Amino acid sequence: MRTDVFTLFPQAFDWYLSQVHIRNAVELGHEFHLTNYRDHTPLSHLQVDDTPYGGGAGMVLRIDVVCAALEAVFPGDAACLKDGRRVVELTPKGRQFDDALAAELARQDLVLLCGRYEGIDERVKHLVTDRVSIGPYVLSGGEVAAMAVLDGVTRKLPGVISNPESVVSESHSDVLEGGAEYPHYTRPAEFRGWGVPEVLLSGNHGEIDCWRALQVRKR
Ligand code: ADE
């Protein structure tokens, strides 16, 4: 699978892309590419944004700049990019990102478009398959949202997480019927008077499974 992120701040991804599960994914043959819109702008003075038609605060990322960047990386008409891959605009106005969408996005090559300031010119709708939000709040740009989506999607790629069971049964997955995962404890068994549920120390896996199922239901 190939993932491309288009952003004005590619350096924001440096730490994230150095994480072990991304390195695992690269070793498995997955590709991650970052493109700075500014490197491909057809406008003078490296301009990428403009004031909104109709007036109002802020700047809007120009659609000609977005198309130029997409077409520099994927030669051809940017509007055809969505044939055969998911092209996602990160925007607070989008569909809420969840585990099911992460699994869906992990099935095809992925292009993530990050906006900044007031976002991307609305005509980006002609280029995208999805508009995705990571929550009902406005961030300063799509980069943090893109990292959340990248992380959720990359964890779904076969072989990326060394213990596949942890992906299948983690919070919000189908196995847990969309609920939160059961609580986890590790050593020491007692710390400052705070104990661990006896059942987890019992070694009885049948009882442990029952207890965990009960916790999921309670949550
Ligand atoms: N860009 C700004 N806010 C965002 C959000 N909540 N989700 C996705 N992209 C965004």
Side-chain angles (χ1 to χ4, degrees):
M1 177 180 166
R2 173 180 170 135
T3 303
D4 283 82
V5 180
F6 288 77
T7 168
L8 286 171
F9 299 97
Q11 68 280 9
F13 293 82
D14 287 351
W15 170 83
Y16 177 68
L17 291 179
S18 71
Q19 296 307 291
V20 71
H21 60 292
I22 300 289
R23 282 190 277 122
N24 286 347
V26 170
E27 271 169 31
L28 289 166
H30 299 291
E31 291 179 36
F32 296 89
H33 298 267
L34 287 168
T35 301
N36 190 337
Y37 297 111
R38 212 179 285 281
D39 290 343
H40 302 284
T41 178
L43 308 173
S44 52
H45 311 294
L46 299 180
Q47 184 188 348
V48 290
D49 53 9
D50 226 318
T51 52
Y53 280 129
M59 299 293 275
V60 179
L61 193 54
R62 288 176 54 136
I63 192 65
D64 50 349
V65 170
V66 173
C67 275
L70 286 170
E71 289 169 2
V73 176
F74 301 101
D77 182 349
C80 297
L81 207 58
K82 53 187 188 294
D83 306 334
R85 50 173 83 68
R86 297 290 278 263
V87 182
V88 174
E89 179 200 7
L90 282 317
T91 163
K93 293 177 264 181
R95 163 182 173 190
Q96 171 100 39
F97 186 60
D98 61 13
D99 199 69
L101 183 54
E104 228 181 280
L105 296 180
R107 284 190 217 121
Q108 268 172 302
D109 284 355
L110 184 61
V111 175
L112 300 176
L113 303 178
C114 304
R116 268 270 145 179
Y117 320 120
E118 292 307 303
I120 306 178
D121 184 300
E122 182 64 19
R123 287 167 288 181
V124 73
K125 66 185 177 201
H126 300 295
L127 307 178
V128 300
T129 53
D130 304 81
R131 307 179 99 177
V132 172
S133 163
I134 59 161
Y137 38 78
V138 179
L139 302 167
S140 318
E143 286 73 18
V144 169
M147 278 182 248
V149 169
L150 263 179
D151 203 58
V153 169
T154 305
R155 293 175 61 77
K156 299 284 183 196
L157 300 175
V160 165
I161 302 297
S162 21
N163 179 0
E165 236 181 70
S166 63
V167 180
V168 173
S169 65
E170 67 194 356
S171 295
H172 309 294
S173 61
D174 283 347
V175 171
L176 300 181
E177 293 166 3
E181 204 179 351
Y182 50 78
H184 297 282
Y185 294 86
T186 188
R187 292 180 188 85
E190 185 169 322
F191 180 69
R192 298 188 180 173
W194 304 322
V196 170
E198 277 303 319
V199 61
L200 297 180
L201 308 174
S202 69
N204 182 330
H205 289 286
E207 277 184 25
I208 291 171
D209 287 348
C210 284
W211 180 84
R212 286 178 169 166
L214 183 66
Q215 303 309 307
V216 169
R217 262 179 266 129
K218 273 195 200 161
R219 283 191 170 185

PDB file of all heavy atoms in Angstrom, residues 50-56 60 62 121 123:
ATOM      1  N   ASP A  50      -4.940  32.239  -0.547  1.00  0.00           N
ATOM      2  CA  ASP A  50      -5.484  33.525  -0.968  1.00  0.00           C
ATOM      3  C   ASP A  50      -6.625  33.902  -0.033  1.00  0.00           C
ATOM      4  O   ASP A  50      -7.135  33.048   0.701  1.00  0.00           O
ATOM      5  CB  ASP A  50      -5.981  33.437  -2.416  1.00  0.00           C
ATOM      6  CG  ASP A  50      -5.515  34.630  -3.233  1.00  0.00           C
ATOM      7  OD1 ASP A  50      -5.574  35.757  -2.680  1.00  0.00           O
ATOM      8  OD2 ASP A  50      -5.118  34.437  -4.395  1.00  0.00           O
ATOM      9  N   THR A  51      -7.065  35.156  -0.139  1.00  0.00           N
ATOM     10  CA  THR A  51      -8.177  35.609   0.709  1.00  0.00           C
ATOM     11  C   THR A  51      -9.494  35.023   0.190  1.00  0.00           C
ATOM     12  O   THR A  51      -9.642  34.759  -1.005  1.00  0.00           O
ATOM     13  CB  THR A  51      -8.266  37.151   0.689  1.00  0.00           C
ATOM     14  OG1 THR A  51      -8.288  37.551  -0.692  1.00  0.00           O
ATOM     15  CG2 THR A  51      -7.073  37.785   1.372  1.00  0.00           C
ATOM     16  N   PRO A  52     -10.456  34.785   1.080  1.00  0.00           N
ATOM     17  CA  PRO A  52     -11.706  34.151   0.626  1.00  0.00           C
ATOM     18  C   PRO A  52     -12.569  35.100  -0.213  1.00  0.00           C
ATOM     19  O   PRO A  52     -12.687  36.279   0.122  1.00  0.00           O
ATOM     20  CB  PRO A  52     -12.420  33.796   1.936  1.00  0.00           C
ATOM     21  CG  PRO A  52     -11.726  34.528   3.026  1.00  0.00           C
ATOM     22  CD  PRO A  52     -10.402  34.997   2.536  1.00  0.00           C
ATOM     23  N   TYR A  53     -13.143  34.549  -1.306  1.00  0.00           N
ATOM     24  CA  TYR A  53     -14.156  35.313  -2.045  1.00  0.00           C
ATOM     25  C   TYR A  53     -15.300  35.617  -1.090  1.00  0.00           C
ATOM     26  O   TYR A  53     -15.675  34.771  -0.270  1.00  0.00           O
ATOM     27  CB  TYR A  53     -14.716  34.485  -3.200  1.00  0.00           C
ATOM     28  CG  TYR A  53     -13.829  34.467  -4.430  1.00  0.00           C
ATOM     29  CD1 TYR A  53     -13.478  33.264  -5.024  1.00  0.00           C
ATOM     30  CD2 TYR A  53     -13.369  35.660  -5.003  1.00  0.00           C
ATOM     31  CE1 TYR A  53     -12.675  33.234  -6.158  1.00  0.00           C
ATOM     32  CE2 TYR A  53     -12.567  35.636  -6.136  1.00  0.00           C
ATOM     33  CZ  TYR A  53     -12.223  34.432  -6.706  1.00  0.00           C
ATOM     34  OH  TYR A  53     -11.426  34.421  -7.824  1.00  0.00           O
ATOM     35  N   GLY A  54     -15.871  36.815  -1.196  1.00  0.00           N
ATOM     36  CA  GLY A  54     -16.981  37.192  -0.320  1.00  0.00           C
ATOM     37  C   GLY A  54     -16.508  37.809   0.981  1.00  0.00           C
ATOM     38  O   GLY A  54     -17.333  38.217   1.808  1.00  0.00           O
ATOM     39  N   GLY A  55     -15.188  37.808   1.177  1.00  0.00           N
ATOM     40  CA  GLY A  55     -14.642  38.421   2.389  1.00  0.00           C
ATOM     41  C   GLY A  55     -14.625  37.461   3.560  1.00  0.00           C
ATOM     42  O   GLY A  55     -15.052  36.314   3.460  1.00  0.00           O
ATOM     43  N   GLY A  56     -14.129  37.942   4.680  1.00  0.00           N
ATOM     44  CA  GLY A  56     -14.057  37.103   5.877  1.00  0.00           C
ATOM     45  C   GLY A  56     -12.619  36.870   6.288  1.00  0.00           C
ATOM     46  O   GLY A  56     -11.688  37.203   5.552  1.00  0.00           O
ATOM     47  N   VAL A  60      -7.306  30.895   2.392  1.00  0.00           N
ATOM     48  CA  VAL A  60      -7.800  29.610   1.893  1.00  0.00           C
ATOM     49  C   VAL A  60      -6.736  29.015   0.973  1.00  0.00           C
ATOM     50  O   VAL A  60      -6.191  29.715   0.102  1.00  0.00           O
ATOM     51  CB  VAL A  60      -9.127  29.814   1.112  1.00  0.00           C
ATOM     52  CG1 VAL A  60      -9.645  28.499   0.563  1.00  0.00           C
ATOM     53  CG2 VAL A  60     -10.169  30.491   1.997  1.00  0.00           C
ATOM     54  N   ARG A  62      -5.318  27.355  -2.111  1.00  0.00           N
ATOM     55  CA  ARG A  62      -5.869  27.450  -3.467  1.00  0.00           C
ATOM     56  C   ARG A  62      -5.978  26.086  -4.142  1.00  0.00           C
ATOM     57  O   ARG A  62      -5.099  25.239  -3.998  1.00  0.00           O
ATOM     58  CB  ARG A  62      -4.976  28.375  -4.308  1.00  0.00           C
ATOM     59  CG  ARG A  62      -5.131  29.837  -3.906  1.00  0.00           C
ATOM     60  CD  ARG A  62      -4.176  30.713  -4.690  1.00  0.00           C
ATOM     61  NE  ARG A  62      -4.284  30.551  -6.131  1.00  0.00           N
ATOM     62  CZ  ARG A  62      -4.289  31.554  -7.007  1.00  0.00           C
ATOM     63  NH1 ARG A  62      -4.238  32.818  -6.569  1.00  0.00           N
ATOM     64  NH2 ARG A  62      -4.343  31.319  -8.298  1.00  0.00           N
ATOM     65  N   ASP A 121      -9.883  25.321  -0.593  1.00  0.00           N
ATOM     66  CA  ASP A 121     -10.988  25.780  -1.448  1.00  0.00           C
ATOM     67  C   ASP A 121     -12.002  24.635  -1.620  1.00  0.00           C
ATOM     68  O   ASP A 121     -11.616  23.490  -1.867  1.00  0.00           O
ATOM     69  CB  ASP A 121     -10.385  26.191  -2.815  1.00  0.00           C
ATOM     70  CG  ASP A 121     -11.417  26.781  -3.768  1.00  0.00           C
ATOM     71  OD1 ASP A 121     -12.401  26.078  -4.099  1.00  0.00           O
ATOM     72  OD2 ASP A 121     -11.225  27.928  -4.199  1.00  0.00           O
ATOM     73  N   ARG A 123     -13.729  23.564  -3.841  1.00  0.00           N
ATOM     74  CA  ARG A 123     -13.683  22.759  -5.069  1.00  0.00           C
ATOM     75  C   ARG A 123     -12.786  21.532  -4.952  1.00  0.00           C
ATOM     76  O   ARG A 123     -12.764  20.692  -5.861  1.00  0.00           O
ATOM     77  CB  ARG A 123     -13.280  23.643  -6.242  1.00  0.00           C
ATOM     78  CG  ARG A 123     -14.426  24.581  -6.651  1.00  0.00           C
ATOM     79  CD  ARG A 123     -13.964  25.668  -7.569  1.00  0.00           C
ATOM     80  NE  ARG A 123     -13.160  26.669  -6.858  1.00  0.00           N
ATOM     81  CZ  ARG A 123     -12.640  27.763  -7.417  1.00  0.00           C
ATOM     82  NH1 ARG A 123     -12.826  27.983  -8.700  1.00  0.00           N
ATOM     83  NH2 ARG A 123     -11.928  28.620  -6.689  1.00  0.00           N
TER      84      ARG A 123
END
